[in-house]
Amino acid sequence: MKPDMSVVVLATALVTAGSLAAQAPPSLADQVRAAETAFAGTMARRDLTAFGDFVSTEAIFFGRASSLKGRPAVVEGWKSLFDGPAAPFSWAPETVEVLASGTLALSSGPVLDPSGKRVGTFNSVWRLESDGHWRVIFDKGCPVCQCATPPGAGTTEEQIRP
């Protein structure tokens, strides 16, 4: 006796639906971490257009001398960093925190030169926008602190945090 194909199709659909339901959706922090990682990937791929897609229309990127305000200014200001075959630096999130409201997040981590040496730290504030995409609204990098810590004094982080 051959099984009824509608029963086979229904059983397959139920098994598939059950396995999908068992997979928890990524947390908001995981979503932001993935967005930051993909954002950094645009530099590695040398894809300025994709870079711009991660930048909010209201973005402010802080620079050494002045700030870049708005997506067009940010993209234009970063354009020269996408010239050439190799990225001048890379970055990856170490820390991601999301507000309880789920609308704003901070990502922070190392900025590395092409040899892998840490040359700075980035700090990006992300906003969940109305189209469901996380985009950077504030971005500020800073150089690596070369401060010496006296023996036994702990790190600055330990000194200022309870």
Side-chain angles (χ1 to χ4, degrees):
M1 183 163 131
K2 290 184 177 179
D4 181 354
M5 285 308 290
S6 62
V7 171
V8 172
V9 170
L10 178 60
T12 302
L14 289 173
V15 169
T16 302
S19 66
L20 291 175
Q23 297 174 3
S27 71
L28 292 175
D30 288 341
Q31 290 176 31
V32 174
R33 186 177 305 280
E36 183 71 68
T37 301
F39 184 45
T42 66
M43 175 67 76
R45 290 189 322 274
R46 321 303 292 132
D47 189 346
L48 182 62
T49 300
F51 171 87
D53 291 341
F54 286 95
V55 178
S56 176
T57 58
E58 298 180 289
I60 298 175
F61 278 48
F62 296 90
R64 289 185 184 114
S66 64
S67 299
L68 301 170
K69 297 180 180 179
R71 181 185 293 150
V74 170
V75 171
E76 183 61 32
W78 279 62
K79 185 177 181 180
S80 66
L81 298 172
F82 283 81
D83 291 340
F89 57 87
S90 62
W91 69 95
E94 280 183 340
T95 303
V96 174
E97 292 290 339
V98 182
L99 289 179
S101 67
T103 57
L104 292 175
L106 171 75
S107 61
S108 182
V111 177
L112 308 174
D113 72 9
S115 73
K117 177 183 173 191
R118 186 175 189 151
V119 294
T121 301
F122 75 88
N123 297 285
S124 299
V125 176
W126 293 79
R127 177 173 63 193
L128 184 58
E129 298 200 335
S130 60
D131 65 359
H133 291 97
W134 286 97
R135 290 198 177 82
V136 179
I137 58 167
F138 292 103
D139 184 81
K140 184 170 185 173
C142 57
V144 173
C145 178
Q146 300 298 326
C147 303
T149 303
T155 66
T156 304
E157 182 83 10
E158 293 165 337
Q159 292 169 346
I160 64 171
R161 301 240 184 245

